[in-house]
Amino acid sequence: MDHRALLQSMPAETRAHLTARSDARGLVHLAGHLGLLALTSAGIAAQVSLWPLLILPQGVLLVFLFTLSHECTHQTPFRTPWLNEAVGHAIAPVLALPFTWFRYFHLAHHKWTNDPEKDPELDGKPRPDSRAALALYLTGWVYWSGMARVIATNAFGRITAPYLPARKHRAMRIEARALIALYALLAASLLVSPLALWLWLVPVLIAQPLLRLYLLAEHGLCPPVANMLENSRTTFTSRAIRFLAWNMPFHAEHHAFPAVPFHRLPAFHATTQAHLRSTSQGYSGFTRAYLESLPD
């Protein structure tokens, strides 16, 4: 059974239950994520004993805000629309991920998931197909350089990607220029204090490989087919990682029914689990399988 047949087989009341959004659930989860981030940030800022050891968890908490930004593009973490918009835009500077642009990039990814020619996540290129390419991918260089080009193009160049609607070009140009201005202020702040370096820049650079491995598992080694229960992977992992990633390890479920908010994905998994075609037991299991697929 593919994802379309599965959804058609579900009673309307079940679909309504699964897609019910909640400000309370979203805000509680956000408070937990930001609370942990406040603890690590306070320890680094105060330079407590062994404070450099906090840089990696600081970075992990920062880079995995990507999964929340991703959810905000679907308007699902919160019931109130402006909350989704505000949170999505607030995350943008942390990851150099302009939110308006990302929404349409990501919607195109959902439309053409794993299509080697049309999925903008692939951009006509294969996922890392050698150990050298994988090593480069894990550094984050491909991401950071790509986002620098996106921001520069959106700010001062011609916006030509077919999935970016013309009616949003002006908003994309404004947000890109705002990001550039903010980064200029942050760079200037380093002349006064290194705080931005240790609270943001170094942590997100150090933690990037963990996010890259996580994201690679979402569709890596999955076939280029239309069935979302096959072209996307669900990874069975710990509650801590599911919390950190806003339940997005249930990624096949998310692609099968994007309107399901993060806190309902475990319940939806109970319906989909018998029909999943791409799964892994943990991210270490996926990584081993990916490495084995690469030529020596």
Side-chain angles (χ1 to χ4, degrees):
M1 182 180 291
D2 69 9
H3 72 284
R4 293 185 183 89
L6 178 65
L7 295 182
Q8 289 171 358
S9 72
M10 293 168 58
E13 57 271 21
T14 300
R15 292 198 298 272
H17 173 74
L18 286 171
T19 56
R21 304 172 191 186
S22 167
D23 284 346
R25 295 294 295 269
L27 289 170
V28 166
H29 199 105
L30 180 60
H33 197 130
L34 294 183
L36 292 172
L37 189 56
L39 288 175
T40 55
S41 297
I44 293 170
Q47 294 193 348
V48 298
S49 179
L50 301 177
W51 68 268
L53 296 180
L54 295 173
I55 290 176
L56 180 58
Q58 171 86 353
V60 169
L61 289 164
L62 286 172
V63 299
F64 272 87
L65 286 172
F66 173 89
T67 56
L68 174 56
S69 177
H70 153 267
E71 276 294 272
C72 287
T73 67
H74 294 285
Q75 293 276 313
T76 51
F78 310 101
R79 183 177 181 179
T80 303
W82 72 261
L83 270 175
N84 292 297
E85 292 295 307
V87 170
H89 283 289
I91 293 170
V94 177
L95 299 173
L97 189 66
F99 183 64
T100 303
W101 171 87
F102 181 48
R103 168 177 285 128
Y104 294 100
F105 173 93
H106 187 65
L107 291 178
H109 162 64
H110 268 263
K111 183 177 181 179
W112 305 110
T113 304
N114 247 16
D115 185 314
E117 301 300 325
K118 296 180 179 179
D119 186 345
E121 280 198 359
L122 296 174
D123 195 25
K125 309 178 189 69
R127 290 185 174 86
D129 54 2
S130 69
R131 290 174 186 259
L134 178 61
L136 179 63
Y137 167 83
L138 293 180
T139 66
W141 169 254
V142 175
Y143 172 77
W144 295 119
S145 60
M147 293 316 303
R149 287 193 297 272
V150 165
I151 292 172
T153 298
N154 288 0
F156 305 113
R158 292 180 62 245
I159 301 173
T160 59
Y163 51 82
L164 301 176
R167 70 182 187 280
K168 292 294 182 178
H169 286 185
R170 182 173 181 273
M172 292 176 196
R173 203 168 297 284
I174 291 171
E175 72 179 351
R177 291 176 179 177
L179 284 173
I180 290 171
L182 179 58
Y183 293 142
L185 287 174
L186 286 172
S189 77
L190 294 177
L191 299 174
V192 179
S193 166
L195 205 56
L197 189 69
W198 299 117
L199 288 179
W200 169 59
L201 186 56
V202 172
V204 297
L205 292 176
I206 288 177
Q208 194 63 212
L210 298 176
L211 179 63
R212 293 300 114 196
L213 275 176
Y214 163 83
L215 293 173
L216 187 60
E218 291 183 340
H219 303 286
L221 302 181
C222 296
V225 296
N227 180 13
M228 298 295 183
L229 301 176
E230 191 172 359
N231 66 24
S232 305
R233 170 175 285 97
T234 285
T235 303
F236 304 114
T237 187
S238 66
R239 291 180 64 184
I241 293 177
R242 290 199 301 270
F243 172 85
L244 183 68
W246 289 70
N247 275 335
M248 283 302 110
F250 293 115
H251 208 64
E253 290 82 353
H254 167 69
H255 268 259
F257 201 177
V260 176
F262 73 96
H263 59 90
R264 301 282 193 189
L265 284 174
F268 186 38
H269 172 69
T271 300
T272 62
Q273 58 185 333
H275 308 287
L276 297 175
R277 295 293 175 265
S278 299
T279 63
S280 289
Q281 292 293 333
Y283 289 94
S284 58
F286 166 79
T287 303
R288 284 193 299 272
Y290 199 90
L291 286 170
E292 290 169 2
S293 75
L294 298 176
D296 295 328

